[in-house]
Amino acid sequence: MRKHAQAFKSVDHDHACCVNDALQNAEHLCGQKGARLTGLRRRVLELVWESHRPVGAYDILEALMKEQRAAPPTVYRALEFLQEQGLVHRLASLNAFVGCVDPQTPHTGQFLICGMCREAAEILDENVTTMLRETALRAGFDVRRQTVEITGTCNRCGQRSGNKEIHP
Ligand SMILES: [Zn+2]
Ligand SMILES: [Zn+2]
Ligand SMILES: [Zn+2]
């Protein structure tokens, strides 16, 4: 069972812990699979994890170029590698990347994307995955990959605007 409550972390959570966990997971996972987490790949992962806001490839490139010489193809390849290893997910609707909260478990992701703070939270619900696959199967469709992107308002932003009158 996975916890769904509080998919969005509180504003004052210790994000350094998130980053630390993500990097440790990545090292562990790549070590297990014999995949090479080079310095650049590690740094790109760290940049994706800079916040819970999905980040575009171009922004990563820009940040990286401030620290080192990085050619665009290198950054795109690093992002591809991280995707292959399940360390980051690509959100098509935003054309951006977000770090995976549970790369040890192979899964397809479901994402809640807040339109106000632009953060994304991953929920991993096998029931949703299975339901979608079975529905597709009944329609004669064989699902290879699925990423569900749901937009809305997170609990924090909802609370913040909750007391005010909402003007359309
Ligand atoms: Zn965090
Ligand atoms: Zn994930
Ligand atoms: Zn929000």
Side-chain angles (χ1 to χ4, degrees), residues 35 41 55 61 66 73 92-93 115 120 130 146-147 149 162:
R41 289 166 171 173
V55 56
L61 180 66
K66 284 182 193 146
S93 64
T130 309
Q146 49 161 287
T147 307
E149 303 179 19

Coordinates of all heavy atoms in Angstrom, one line a residue, residues 35 41 55 61 66 73 92-93 115 120 130 146-147 149 162:
A35 N 24.6 0.5 -14.2 CA 24.4 1.7 -15.1 C 25.4 2.8 -14.6 O 25.5 2.9 -13.4 CB 23.0 2.1 -15.2
R41 N 25.4 13.2 -15.3 CA 24.0 12.7 -15.1 C 23.5 12.9 -13.7 O 22.4 13.2 -13.5 CB 24.1 11.1 -15.4 CG 24.3 10.8 -16.8 CD 24.7 9.4 -17.0 NE 24.6 9.0 -18.4 CZ 25.1 7.9 -18.9 NH1 25.5 6.9 -18.1 NH2 25.0 7.6 -20.2
V55 N 10.7 20.6 -14.5 CA 11.7 21.6 -15.1 C 12.0 21.2 -16.5 O 12.1 20.0 -16.8 CB 12.9 21.7 -14.2 CG1 13.6 20.4 -14.0 CG2 13.9 22.7 -14.8
L61 N 19.7 22.9 -19.0 CA 20.9 23.2 -19.8 C 21.4 24.6 -19.4 O 22.6 24.8 -19.2 CB 20.5 23.2 -21.2 CG 21.6 23.6 -22.2 CD1 22.7 22.5 -22.2 CD2 21.1 23.7 -23.6
K66 N 26.1 27.4 -16.5 CA 26.6 28.4 -15.6 C 27.8 27.8 -14.9 O 28.6 28.5 -14.3 CB 25.6 28.9 -14.7 CG 24.6 29.9 -15.3 CD 23.6 30.4 -14.3 CE 22.5 31.2 -15.0 NZ 21.2 31.0 -14.4
P73 N 23.3 18.3 -26.6 CA 23.0 16.9 -26.8 C 23.4 16.1 -25.5 O 22.7 15.1 -25.2 CB 23.9 16.5 -27.9 CG 24.2 17.7 -28.7 CD 24.2 18.8 -27.6
A92 N 4.4 15.2 -20.4 CA 4.2 15.6 -21.8 C 3.5 17.0 -21.8 O 3.8 17.9 -22.6 CB 3.5 14.6 -22.6
S93 N 2.5 17.1 -20.9 CA 1.7 18.3 -21.0 C 2.5 19.6 -20.7 O 2.1 20.7 -21.1 CB 0.5 18.2 -20.0 OG 0.9 18.2 -18.7
G115 N -2.1 23.8 -10.9 CA -2.0 24.9 -11.8 C -1.6 26.2 -11.2 O -1.3 27.2 -11.8
A120 N 4.3 19.3 -9.1 CA 3.7 18.1 -9.5 C 4.0 17.0 -8.4 O 5.1 17.0 -7.8 CB 4.3 17.6 -10.8
T130 N -3.8 -0.7 -13.4 CA -4.5 -2.0 -13.9 C -5.8 -1.7 -14.6 O -6.1 -2.2 -15.6 CB -4.7 -2.9 -12.7 OG1 -3.5 -3.0 -12.0 CG2 -5.2 -4.3 -13.1
Q146 N 2.1 4.2 -20.0 CA 1.0 5.2 -19.7 C 1.5 6.2 -18.6 O 2.1 5.8 -17.6 CB -0.2 4.5 -19.2 CG 0.0 3.4 -18.2 CD -1.4 3.1 -17.4 OE1 -1.8 3.9 -16.6 NE2 -1.9 1.9 -17.7
T147 N 1.3 7.4 -18.8 CA 1.6 8.4 -17.8 C 0.3 9.3 -17.7 O -0.1 9.8 -18.7 CB 2.8 9.3 -18.2 OG1 3.9 8.5 -18.5 CG2 3.1 10.3 -17.1
E149 N -1.7 12.4 -16.4 CA -1.4 13.8 -15.9 C -2.7 14.5 -15.6 O -3.5 14.7 -16.4 CB -0.6 14.6 -17.0 CG 0.7 13.9 -17.3 CD 1.5 14.6 -18.4 OE1 1.3 15.8 -18.6 OE2 2.4 13.9 -19.0
G162 N -8.8 29.4 0.0 CA -10.1 28.9 0.5 C -10.9 29.9 1.2 O -12.1 29.9 1.1

